[in-house]
Amino acid sequence: MTLSESLGLMLFPKEGGCMLFNPKEGKIERKLGDFPGCRFLANSGNWWLVLDSGCNLSIVDVFSKETIHLPPLESIRSSNCFKRVGDKRFLRLDSTNTFVEQDSDADDVRGLLWVDEGAKDYVVVWFFDREYDHDYTSFCKKGDTHYTDIPLFYPDNHWFKGLSEMVLTGYSLYITTSRRFVRVLDLSGSSFKEITRPFPMLSCHESCDSSIAVTTSGQVLLVESDPWNRTWFRVYKKNPDLERPDSSCHTVLEVDSLGGEALLLDLGVTVPANLALGIEPDSIYFTRHYRPSHWSGRDLDICVYNLASKSFNRFSDLDFKGLTDARWFLPGN
């Protein structure tokens, strides 16, 4: 079995390009190309969401180099005007086209990707990563000639506003708001629709890094870790017995296993354990929190944490300082 069929690490050096790292052998397996001027935003299996130097989005198979070109960023179906100004600057105007609501730079574009390898269906979600100021995210699917806006604000409920993390699995988009409520959206139609009322995922611990994840059965998990030394991880599920979760400050229950599955936190999903593919049960494969955003001050910490034994496997031979990013990679996921 080749590494392109099993679990590996994609490394993104500061000088550009990407490389495939074999965690079992502890060595670089192969260089996958230079991709000059490109940023890798997200992946689904061997398909990667790429933004080039001309601010064009595309989906690229990093092995075959097959490319699917996506609509221009400014092609958004929205209630207000969104336009490109210059090489990398984008403006969003109000409904009267008079006042600038948002002034954004292409360097702040972040995204998510899901690809159905068999049917070649795909969903792309992207947004401008503005600290404490996320008003919209946009998405498109196969066959779309434009993106559709998803507002990230609620005029009557500030608990449901903003964005801290997102997970995309199939046509379901999970958004954690600034106040730690989770929205679940269905993107399978011509627009989007809320699947359920937003619900809080709050632990009793405040000084933690955190992420959400979704299991193969669709259960939402909260994952926390020590932001200073990374000496532990905690995993929680939603507490189903709370009568008034919206007014509670602790809405989750800690779990001590992943039910034999493994968590690829870069993708925000669990997958079945498979020792032949290098996937250990009840293990968290980690590089950093807060994807797809990019919080400054959060360094890479490439490791595997086993929930059952409370033990770490770290990759001390890797030069983290020479990397801009790294992501756990599994073909087909």
Side-chain angles (χ1 to χ4, degrees):
M1 181 173 295
T2 65
L3 185 56
S4 60
E5 298 172 332
S6 59
L7 183 66
L9 266 171
M10 285 288 188
L11 306 179
F12 301 94
K14 290 181 178 178
E15 61 267 23
C18 65
M19 299 181 293
L20 187 57
F21 177 79
N22 187 328
K24 186 175 182 179
E25 301 292 334
K27 65 179 183 180
I28 302 297
E29 189 79 10
R30 59 190 287 195
K31 186 174 181 180
L32 295 173
D34 293 327
F35 299 95
C38 292
R39 284 200 297 119
F40 292 82
L41 305 183
N43 80 294
S44 177
N46 48 301
W47 292 92
W48 288 77
L49 180 61
V50 178
L51 182 72
D52 68 18
S53 57
C55 302
N56 303 301
L57 278 177
S58 59
I59 306 172
V60 179
D61 184 320
V62 292
F63 293 111
S64 70
K65 304 302 187 291
E66 180 183 351
T67 300
I68 301 171
H69 297 286
L70 298 173
L73 293 181
E74 60 268 28
S75 300
I76 296 180
R77 186 173 63 186
S78 177
S79 59
N80 49 21
C81 177
F82 182 81
K83 62 182 181 179
R84 181 171 178 169
V85 182
D87 292 337
K88 300 173 64 177
R89 187 182 175 200
F90 295 83
L91 298 180
R92 184 183 288 272
L93 306 181
D94 67 354
S95 57
T96 66
N97 292 340
T98 304
F99 300 103
V100 175
E101 288 188 347
Q102 193 178 69
D103 188 342
S104 304
D105 190 280
D107 289 340
D108 297 324
V109 171
R110 308 287 184 258
L112 293 171
L113 173 67
W114 172 77
V115 176
D116 182 333
E117 183 68 36
K120 288 293 192 294
D121 283 341
Y122 60 81
V123 180
V124 170
V125 177
W126 69 271
F127 65 100
F128 289 105
D129 191 17
R130 299 157 57 89
E131 190 172 10
Y132 307 117
D133 186 18
H134 299 102
D135 291 330
Y136 296 91
T137 187
S138 305
F139 76 95
C140 76
K141 305 188 298 294
K142 181 180 179 180
D144 289 348
T145 58
H146 61 269
Y147 301 97
T148 298
D149 262 348
I150 300 174
L152 298 176
F153 51 86
Y154 276 73
D156 300 325
N157 197 324
H158 66 280
W159 298 101
F160 302 164
K161 178 182 178 180
L163 161 69
S164 57
E165 301 126 38
M166 290 196 297
V167 172
L168 178 65
T169 172
Y171 291 100
S172 297
L173 177 64
Y174 298 77
I175 301 174
T176 307
T177 71
S178 301
R179 298 298 185 97
R180 311 300 302 172
F181 277 67
V182 177
R183 298 173 61 190
V184 186
L185 278 60
D186 178 6
L187 308 183
S188 62
S190 57
S191 185
F192 68 93
K193 64 179 180 180
E194 305 268 356
I195 296 177
T196 184
R197 189 178 188 277
F199 54 90
M201 293 290 286
L202 301 168
S203 79
C204 59
H205 305 282
E206 294 183 359
S207 300
C208 301
D209 281 347
S210 64
S211 300
I212 61 166
V214 182
T215 68
T216 56
S217 64
Q219 184 181 48
V220 177
L221 302 176
L222 173 65
V223 183
E224 293 182 338
S225 71
D226 174 5
W228 293 281
N229 299 314
R230 201 82 60 202
T231 56
W232 50 262
F233 280 84
R234 288 190 288 254
V235 179
Y236 306 87
K237 66 179 181 179
K238 179 182 175 183
N239 185 346
D241 298 326
L242 288 178
E243 294 183 359
R244 301 179 61 188
D246 288 7
S247 58
S248 299
C249 59
H250 183 202
T251 66
V252 293
L253 299 173
E254 188 171 0
V255 299
D256 56 9
S257 82
L258 295 169
E261 295 186 332
L263 173 56
L264 306 183
L265 202 58
D266 292 331
L267 297 174
V269 297
T270 63
V271 296
N274 188 323
L275 296 180
L277 297 180
I279 306 171
E280 299 283 344
D282 297 311
S283 294
I284 300 172
Y285 292 81
F286 181 81
T287 59
R288 67 174 177 85
H289 284 289
Y290 303 111
R291 294 193 187 275
S293 297
H294 189 84
W295 285 33
S296 60
R298 295 302 193 268
D299 295 330
L300 288 172
D301 185 8
I302 303 171
C303 61
V304 182
Y305 181 78
N306 186 276
L307 273 178
S309 64
K310 311 297 183 187
S311 62
F312 281 88
N313 179 21
R314 299 187 182 275
F315 302 90
S316 56
D317 292 338
L318 280 177
D319 177 17
F320 292 5
K321 293 183 179 180
L323 301 174
T324 60
D325 203 0
R327 291 172 181 258
W328 288 99
F329 165 85
L330 181 64
N333 286 272

